[in-house]
Amino acid sequence: MQVPAPFEYERATSVDHAISLMERLGSTSRLIAGGHSLLPMMKLRLASFDYLIDINDLHDELGYIEAGPGEVRIGALTRHRELLESATLTAAFPIFADAERVIADPIVRNRGTLGGSLCQADPSEDLSAVCTALDASCVIRGPGGAERVLSMEEFHVGPYETAVGDGEILVEVRLPVRPGCGSSYEKVERRAGDWAVVSAGAAVWLDGDVISDARVGLAAVGPNTTGIPEISTALRGQTPSESLFEQAGAIAARSCEPATDQRGSADYKRHLADELTRRTLRRAVERARS
Amino acid sequence: MQVTMTVNDVEVTREIEGRLLLVHFLRDVLGLTGTHSGCDTSNCGTCVVWLDGEPVKSCTVLAAMAGGHQVRTVEGLAKGAELDPVQQGFMQCHGLQCGFCTPGMMMTARALLNRNPDPSEAEIREAISGQICRCTGYATIVRSVRWAAVHEANAAAAVTETTESPEAGEIDNAGQPAGSVA
Ligand SMILES: Cc1cc2nc3c(=O)[nH]c(=O)nc-3n(C[C@H](O)[C@H](O)[C@H](O)COP(=O)(O)OP(=O)(O)OC[C@H]3O[C@@H](n4cnc5c(N)ncnc54)[C@H](O)[C@@H]3O)c2cc1C
Ligand code: FES
Ligand code: FES
């Protein structure tokens, strides 16, 4: 029987209350959202805290998907299942539904949240790759209501490490809406509901038949979820073609840093990074055109 | 700390440790041992119960997090002496062998049917994809859930006594004729 080490449980009634609890309790406290990354780590004693602050009561405040003209805004406590089932999100960014369908299993998806996924910053975690591809920004709120807005590159500091400081909470993810967008996600897993061997997400923006911008995010192939600016540079201003996708795949394979483990060899994972990059770009372009 | 929650329609209040997991609260504190504990790692799904009507893996939820919420376990599935159609389906179609995974499977199946009264085989398999059965090979579990779906559709049709023939009578996955479900 695995149980976490002892801690005190607190329940936040609002975002400001959560922040004031964290301010008072300091670095010995941690937020718990869905708990589906935090509790497994605490059971294995990979993490332990004196206080857990439950933010699930903030779902009214932090569980939403709102489409505006310039951006789609998603509250940090929006659950995987809500992301999967959102028609708004699927219409704007099909990459989300592609990814959510293969994140964990339906029951885990009932609990896990967008904010928890991003803040966990597990190198194999899928939504960071999705948000990287979509050029998302993360809104972090701190004491006194002060907010910072960070790009995904700034947000992810390292494996299991983000820019969210003590006394701060991720409140929202913003996805810019630009015309001509197509997006897609692919993951290779060993069995249903498993973490990725490798996964890739791509977003392209077409202006007529020219790629005005393109972004690729990979998961499980390095110390952190990897965005690859070199691919964006190579694709911008080009007309989509099979040889262009091949070029992007080759850059992805060369830029990532996979490790050999029980999920596969580093060579195999590089091969997947290449192939999945090509497939997701191809599909993203098809979707942008349709 | 003190926690109060509603379990199978009964309000319970207990003094607990913050770190107590919901699965242990149900089994060890309340003695509701129908909810099983298999893997401890959120993978096997034997510990599935409902939190506010949605299936959750109770080995990865703190009992404290359920405070103020509605929990339903397999003990709360039957209506008095009358078994839920899902329970009947598992009996009719041999949906279990050792029975270890069965409570979790039935809770997931019931939640699925509440949302989607006529799930396809693929939808049933997707719904239980986070749960492991070491005995049945899943075919009979899928058949049991279909049985329950058809049984409920037929029962509802019988109640409304429509003049049209009930279309929901086929059990495509089970290969059983419509008449056998009554
Ligand atoms: C069996 C299983 C399979 C899984 N498979 C996958 C998979 O294939 N792909 C995948 O991507 N994920 C997978 N996951 C992880 C799952 O998606 C997690 O639920 C998710 O990563 C974390 O979300 P959470 O809400 O549960 O976060 P929690 O576990 O509650 O929190 C995680 C971390 O984020 C912090 N945090 C949470 N919310 C905030 C916030 N708003 N602001 C600041 N900090 C915050 C917490 O303090 C904690 O450090 C799996 C999990 C399980 C149990
Ligand atoms: S005991 Fe909870 S999922 Fe296995
Ligand atoms: S019946 Fe034995 S594990 Fe499913």
Side-chain angles (χ1 to χ4, degrees):
Chain A
M1 179 165 105
Q2 291 178 350
V3 289
F7 57 83
E8 296 290 326
Y9 169 91
E10 302 273 352
R11 194 183 276 211
T13 52
S14 68
V15 170
D16 291 338
H17 183 221
I19 293 170
S20 70
L21 283 170
M22 284 190 287
E23 269 193 289
R24 181 157 60 79
L25 303 171
S27 60
T28 59
S29 70
R30 196 70 158 214
L31 297 177
I32 180 164
H36 274 56
S37 289
L38 187 59
L39 289 176
M41 289 218 313
M42 292 180 71
K43 288 186 199 175
L44 294 170
R45 308 294 162 110
L46 294 170
S48 101
F49 303 96
D50 293 343
Y51 300 91
L52 284 193
I53 302 167
D54 183 357
I55 55 171
N56 282 280
D57 281 358
L58 313 189
H59 189 261
D60 283 351
E61 205 176 340
L62 292 185
Y64 56 85
I65 299 167
E66 280 169 17
E71 61 189 8
V72 173
R73 301 184 301 120
I74 311 178
L77 209 65
T78 309
R79 301 199 193 270
H80 289 303
R81 184 213 191 125
E82 296 170 313
L83 296 169
L84 176 59
E85 292 178 352
S86 162
T88 310
L89 201 54
T90 304
F93 305 114
I95 184 175
F96 256 101
D98 288 353
E100 282 297 353
R101 240 175 247 125
V102 290
I103 290 177
D105 60 68
I107 302 170
V108 169
R109 293 201 292 263
N110 279 342
R111 293 297 291 172
T113 66
L114 171 61
S117 294
L118 299 191
C119 291
Q120 180 68 16
D122 185 312
S124 303
E125 185 268 312
D126 292 285
L127 288 183
S128 293
V130 170
C131 290
T132 299
L134 293 176
D135 199 12
S137 39
C138 300
V139 183
I140 299 170
R141 194 178 300 169
E147 285 192 350
R148 304 189 282 148
V149 182
L150 304 184
S151 68
M152 287 302 293
E153 289 73 22
E154 295 163 328
F155 182 81
H156 274 304
V157 175
Y160 306 100
E161 204 185 338
T162 70
V164 182
D166 286 348
E168 287 189 320
I169 173 171
L170 174 68
V171 285
E172 186 175 275
V173 172
R174 293 182 185 157
L175 308 169
V177 175
R178 295 186 264 155
C181 181
S183 60
S184 139
Y185 199 77
E186 290 238 9
K187 170 170 168 176
V188 169
E189 52 189 357
R190 292 172 307 172
R191 52 185 152 78
D194 196 8
W195 293 87
V197 178
V198 174
S199 54
V204 296
W205 291 266
L206 292 183
D207 183 2
D209 204 33
V210 173
I211 298 175
S212 58
D213 198 4
R215 295 174 60 91
V216 167
L218 300 177
V221 286
N224 224 359
T225 299
T226 318
I228 306 169
E230 203 188 325
I231 294 184
S232 308
T233 311
L235 267 57
R236 271 186 216 121
Q238 306 291 317
T239 307
S241 70
E242 207 44 51
S243 67
L244 195 65
F245 301 151
E246 269 173 39
Q247 199 188 326
I251 297 173
R254 140 157 78 71
S255 317
C256 62
E257 299 167 50
T260 295
D261 60 17
Q262 75 276 21
R263 286 191 164 77
S265 68
D267 280 349
Y268 174 53
K269 293 180 185 181
R270 271 188 211 282
H271 161 75
L272 288 178
D274 178 352
E275 179 60 32
L276 296 182
T277 297
R278 283 195 249 174
R279 283 188 204 170
T280 49
L281 280 170
R282 202 181 290 133
R283 172 98 58 84
V285 167
E286 273 168 30
R287 285 174 171 170
R289 282 177 172 154
S290 66
Chain B
M1 60 174 292
Q2 207 176 54
V3 68
T4 299
M5 68 181 88
T6 305
V7 180
N8 301 330
D9 302 322
V10 177
E11 191 176 283
V12 296
T13 299
R14 295 288 189 280
E15 193 61 36
I16 60 164
E17 267 193 281
R19 64 169 165 169
L20 184 69
L21 298 167
L22 181 57
V23 64
H24 300 139
F25 179 76
L26 295 169
R27 288 178 56 83
D28 304 342
V29 178
L30 300 184
L32 294 171
T33 52
T35 302
H36 294 165
S37 170
C39 67
D40 273 347
T41 56
S42 344
N43 282 292
C44 74
T46 61
C47 64
V48 168
V49 301
W50 294 356
L51 190 56
D52 296 332
E54 299 295 351
V56 299
K57 293 182 177 177
S58 62
C59 68
T60 316
V61 174
L62 298 171
M65 293 169 93
H69 293 273
Q70 301 275 340
V71 175
R72 189 161 292 273
T73 71
V74 70
E75 287 89 348
L77 205 50
K79 289 190 187 65
E82 192 198 333
L83 291 182
D84 187 276
V86 166
Q87 293 172 306
Q88 296 174 36
F90 273 71
M91 284 170 63
Q92 294 293 330
C93 302
H94 311 286
L96 66 152
Q97 288 180 35
C98 78
F100 192 71
C101 70
T102 314
M105 289 289 184
M106 294 197 304
M107 294 311 286
T108 301
R110 182 68 265 164
L112 171 69
L113 294 179
N114 289 354
R115 284 165 67 88
N116 176 2
D118 187 24
S120 66
E121 168 165 353
E123 285 167 332
I124 296 168
R125 286 184 182 273
E126 163 69 10
I128 61 168
S129 61
Q131 292 171 271
I132 293 171
C133 175
R134 284 290 181 239
C135 301
T136 67
Y138 304 99
T140 53
I141 295 176
V142 174
R143 224 171 270 164
S144 305
V145 182
R146 278 301 306 164
W147 187 98
V150 172
H151 180 83
E152 279 185 311
N154 285 349
V159 169
T160 41
E161 284 181 355
T162 49
T163 47
E164 296 154 57
S165 63
E167 275 175 55
E170 301 150 39
I171 303 187
D172 38 4
N173 303 312
Q176 292 170 353
S180 69
V181 296

